[in-house]
Amino acid sequence: MTAQRRVVAEVLDGEHVHLTADEVHSRAVAKLPEISRATVYNTLGELVSLGEVLEVATDKRAKRYDPNAHRPHHHLVCAQCGEIKDVHPGGNPLADLPDSERFGFKVSDVEVTYRGVCPNCAAA
Amino acid sequence: MTAQRRVVAEVLDGEHVHLTADEVHSRAVAKLPEISRATVYNTLGELVSLGEVLEVATDKRAKRYDPNAHRPHHHLVCAQCGEIKDVHPGGNPLADLPDSERFGFKVSDVEVTYRGVCPNCAAA
DNA sequence: ATCCAGTATTGGATAAAGTCCAAGGTCATA
DNA sequence: TATGACCTTGGACTTTATCCAATACTGGAT
Ligand SMILES: [Mn+2]
Ligand SMILES: [Mn+2]
Ligand SMILES: [Zn+2]
Ligand SMILES: [Zn+2]
């Protein structure tokens, strides 16, 4: 555990946190000015491999890093500002996919992304 | 309607078609050798604006272009080879998100991505 | 059939996100 | 202190996508 890794871990602490690698780097630099982008990418990659952090692709640009890897969850995204919330829908979407729609795949996982407009953007 | 646009439209014809811009360009070049990448990107962007084609982000790399914009559907992705099938699950995932999990958002849409292993990859 | 204004296409430059690498730094152990 | 394993760094490189100025094309008016 180096100072660099500790800083990346600190930046990724919290709820509803879904930062891009670049955002992680900016915030890490505020705490440890000389940390490099390469180290941020390396550390994020290690955390993902360890299962401590999830990669999420809620927009079609940069990957986002999600420290909430403990409890499975899905995402609610504001189409205007990009804010992302963790959500826990009821039901079991896996069970909703009939065999006739599985094309012989062994299906093991499902991701659900809800889209809408957040209260802030709706007010503006 | 120019020859270039016609070729892009032809390339995007079919079922379970989810090509990247680069794949569209390669196939378009096979039919019209001098078509440029810029025109492919322009045309894809127009088709998306018109609602004739959807952008899908099933992997975390290039966007994919989906001509099946007529009937809403979701996707089943092979985690190994990337093959993508259109699927129509039962149930209504939007209804599965309780108000208490909406954070005041006006939720209007939901995307579901199933992940698994396709028969080909399972056999190998 | 020809002209022309508007639109489309092109190649190359640029940008954004991410990966790779060789060089050098750090740290525990001996 | 010397060693070796591992970590960090900056920059080069790759991939994907966008932007732009110059050129080519199109379709309607004459
Ligand atoms: Mn999350
Ligand atoms: Mn599809
Ligand atoms: Zn918003
Ligand atoms: Zn497969």
Side-chain angles (χ1 to χ4, degrees):
Chain A
M1 174 59 71
T2 63
Q4 287 84 349
R5 290 179 189 189
R6 188 160 29 246
V7 163
V8 169
E10 281 172 23
V11 165
L12 284 175
D13 187 53
E15 304 230 326
H16 305 290
V17 170
H18 306 90
L19 299 170
T20 65
D22 223 48
E23 288 166 348
V24 172
H25 180 245
S26 296
R27 297 183 189 203
V29 163
K31 295 173 180 250
L32 182 67
E34 288 317 304
I35 190 172
S36 70
R37 270 170 229 281
T39 293
V40 169
Y41 275 107
N42 288 343
T43 304
L44 290 173
E46 286 157 15
L47 291 170
V48 170
S49 291
L50 292 170
E52 297 291 322
V53 165
L54 300 175
E55 275 180 359
V56 300
T58 50
D59 65 48
K60 298 180 185 75
R61 319 195 115 180
K63 295 174 196 168
R64 291 178 175 274
Y65 292 88
D66 183 344
N68 182 7
H70 300 19
R71 189 150 68 110
H73 65 278
H74 298 288
H75 292 110
L76 169 59
V77 182
C78 176
Q80 287 183 38
C81 70
E83 184 178 1
I84 302 171
K85 295 291 191 184
D86 291 342
V87 295
H88 303 84
N92 178 2
L94 263 186
D96 288 341
L97 190 67
D99 268 346
S100 61
E101 289 283 312
R102 292 188 181 213
F103 296 91
F105 282 49
K106 199 171 48 177
V107 182
S108 53
D109 189 37
V110 60
E111 291 165 34
V112 182
T113 303
Y114 295 93
R115 299 195 182 271
V117 180
C118 77
N120 253 356
C121 290
Chain B
M1 175 59 72
T2 64
Q4 287 85 349
R5 291 177 186 188
R6 187 159 31 247
V7 164
V8 169
E10 281 172 23
V11 165
L12 284 175
D13 186 52
E15 303 230 325
H16 305 291
V17 170
H18 305 90
L19 300 169
T20 65
D22 221 47
E23 289 166 348
V24 172
H25 180 244
S26 297
R27 297 183 189 203
V29 162
K31 295 171 181 253
L32 183 67
E34 289 318 306
I35 190 172
S36 70
R37 271 171 228 281
T39 294
V40 170
Y41 276 106
N42 288 343
T43 305
L44 290 173
E46 285 156 15
L47 290 170
V48 169
S49 291
L50 291 171
E52 297 292 322
V53 166
L54 300 174
E55 278 180 357
V56 299
T58 51
D59 65 46
K60 298 179 185 74
R61 318 195 114 182
K63 295 175 197 167
R64 291 177 175 276
Y65 293 87
D66 183 344
N68 182 8
H70 298 26
R71 207 158 320 125
H73 65 279
H74 298 287
H75 292 110
L76 170 58
V77 181
C78 176
Q80 286 181 40
C81 70
E83 184 177 0
I84 303 172
K85 294 291 191 185
D86 290 344
V87 296
H88 304 82
N92 178 2
L94 263 186
D96 287 342
L97 190 67
D99 269 346
S100 61
E101 288 283 312
R102 293 188 181 213
F103 296 90
F105 281 50
K106 200 171 46 176
V107 182
S108 53
D109 189 37
V110 59
E111 291 165 35
V112 181
T113 304
Y114 295 93
R115 299 194 182 274
V117 180
C118 77
N120 255 355
C121 289

